[in-house]
Amino acid sequence: MDLPTLGRDALAGVISAIVQIAYCISFSALIFQGAIASGFSLGLAALIMGTVVTGLIVALTSTLSPADAGPDTPAVAVMSVLAGSIAAALAAKGASTQAIILNVLVGISVSTLFTGFLLFGLGALRLGQWLRFIPYPVIAGFLAASGWLLITGGVEVVTQSNLTLAPASWALLYSSTYGPQILVGLVFAVAIVFLRRLVPAYLALPVAFVGFLVIVNIVLFGFIHDEAVRNAWFLPSIGKLTLWWPISAVMQHEVDWGVLAASSAEIGAVCGITAISMLLDVSSLEVARQKSADLDREFRTNGFANIIAAVLGGAGGNLSLNGAILLEESGAA
């Protein structure tokens, strides 16, 4: 490999890392909110571990290289539902916050493990091609539902409250505390779209993320002197970022397997949605690169990556369409 190629690969890797870390921070805040917000740091560690494991294995084995992998947005949206289901059931039993967080993490690891078995099984039995027969309306509904969960989840991250169909639950959106925060979030989303027209597409998200980070902090610390108002814009203290190990957690005998069994529908949804999401990513990447992938091999390698990630305490992930395109557009070979 010559020096210019190595340099482009390194630059693409740095850009990809910034984007993936931003995703992991956002996903952890989405999953660990409300009563379990103190689990943010453990959730972030699990998401980063899952990104490292799946990213490394997929990058080395994918038939669509250069490729990237990590937790995918539709699956994370359902993980947030899984976390909420486990947390609500354990809170009703009077469990401590720490025990609830531990069980949520175990639930995510179990869903990651089963996802790995499902993906590997589809590839081993050469059933990947059959998933291509999923009708477009089903895929469209899947994407729409995932998007809605992410939108409402983002608002819930800001307000730290659950949104329901009751109008009273939406009153916080118009308050002086949360209204400006939601407005900044909307402006950020729109800014990404416009930035794609001004800078190379692969730089839009990193530039928006870093740019808004700097601007918002300058405004908050330069012009707002009320510390309580300022603190409402930030996550609470997250403590030390440490890894967690599922086997050690299970040996502590604090896992409520009855609650996890009652959440089997949500766990199954994570598995199924990850499989569909991966199919969409692989198919879309085939079209973008005008290249056919070995779909069964992709399922096997992604399944193996999820199994390893589950054992190491990582959250599930799969080949990322956006990540792969970002790598290619930023010059990676």
Side-chain angles (χ1 to χ4, degrees), residues 129-144 276-277 279-280 283:
Q129 295 294 339
W130 289 97
L131 291 182
R132 295 186 187 273
F133 290 96
I134 298 176
Y136 278 122
V138 174
I139 294 175
F142 157 75
L143 293 173
I276 297 174
S277 179
L279 172 69
L280 291 176
S283 300

Side-chain angles (χ1 to χ4, degrees), residues 27-290:
F27 290 158
S28 184
L30 177 64
I31 296 171
F32 292 89
Q33 56 178 294
I36 58 173
S38 58
F40 172 85
S41 59
L42 286 172
L44 178 56
L47 287 159
I48 290 176
M49 173 62 82
T51 300
V52 170
V53 173
T54 57
L56 179 62
I57 294 175
V58 169
L60 292 175
T61 60
S62 176
T63 56
L64 291 169
S65 183
D68 194 10
D72 208 353
T73 46
V76 170
V78 182
M79 281 184 197
S80 68
V81 176
L82 170 63
S85 172
I86 294 173
L90 288 173
K93 289 186 171 185
S96 66
T97 301
Q98 193 60 34
I100 294 174
I101 292 171
L102 176 67
N103 278 267
V104 168
L105 287 168
V106 171
I108 291 173
S109 284
V110 169
S111 66
T112 301
L113 184 65
F114 285 161
T115 297
F117 289 146
L118 173 63
L119 297 180
F120 189 87
L122 288 171
L125 297 174
R126 301 189 180 280
L127 298 176
Q129 295 294 339
W130 289 97
L131 291 182
R132 295 186 187 273
F133 290 96
I134 298 176
Y136 278 122
V138 174
I139 294 175
F142 157 75
L143 293 173
S146 300
W148 177 249
L149 283 174
L150 290 172
I151 291 172
T152 57
V155 174
E156 289 174 354
V157 168
V158 171
T159 61
Q160 290 295 301
S161 62
N162 293 323
L163 298 181
T164 66
L165 295 178
S169 71
W170 294 79
L172 288 172
L173 306 185
Y174 312 106
S175 68
S176 58
T177 301
Y178 299 115
Q181 296 185 17
I182 294 172
L183 179 61
V184 169
L186 291 173
V187 172
F188 175 81
V190 173
I192 294 174
V193 178
F194 281 100
L195 276 172
R196 291 175 66 90
R197 302 179 181 181
L198 301 176
V199 301
Y202 64 89
L203 287 177
L205 186 55
V207 168
F209 185 77
V210 175
F212 269 75
L213 184 67
V214 171
I215 292 171
V216 171
N217 276 280
I218 288 174
V219 172
L220 290 176
F221 288 97
F223 300 94
I224 296 179
H225 305 291
D226 188 333
E227 188 173 351
V229 174
R230 216 166 41 219
N231 288 340
W233 284 74
F234 298 98
L235 291 166
S237 177
I238 65 172
K240 186 178 179 181
L241 190 64
T242 57
L243 296 174
W244 81 286
W245 306 105
I247 296 176
S248 298
V250 171
M251 293 178 66
Q252 292 176 9
H253 304 293
E254 294 185 19
V255 179
D256 192 324
W257 294 107
V259 169
L260 292 181
S263 301
S264 57
E266 289 84 355
I267 292 174
V270 172
C271 300
I273 284 177
T274 301
I276 297 174
S277 179
M278 182 188 153
L279 172 69
L280 291 176
D281 285 349
V282 172
S283 300
S284 300
L285 196 55
E286 286 178 322
V287 174
R289 292 184 176 169
Q290 295 296 298

Side-chain angles (χ1 to χ4, degrees), residues 290-330:
Q290 295 296 298
K291 177 182 177 182
S292 295
D294 184 339
L295 190 57
D296 291 320
R297 178 179 172 181
E298 296 294 339
F299 273 113
R300 290 196 301 272
T301 55
N302 279 263
F304 176 73
N306 274 271
I307 293 171
I308 299 300
V311 173
L312 296 178
N318 57 271
L319 184 144
S320 169
L321 169 65
N322 292 333
I325 291 178
L326 183 149
L327 284 173
E328 186 175 26
E329 289 182 344
S330 54

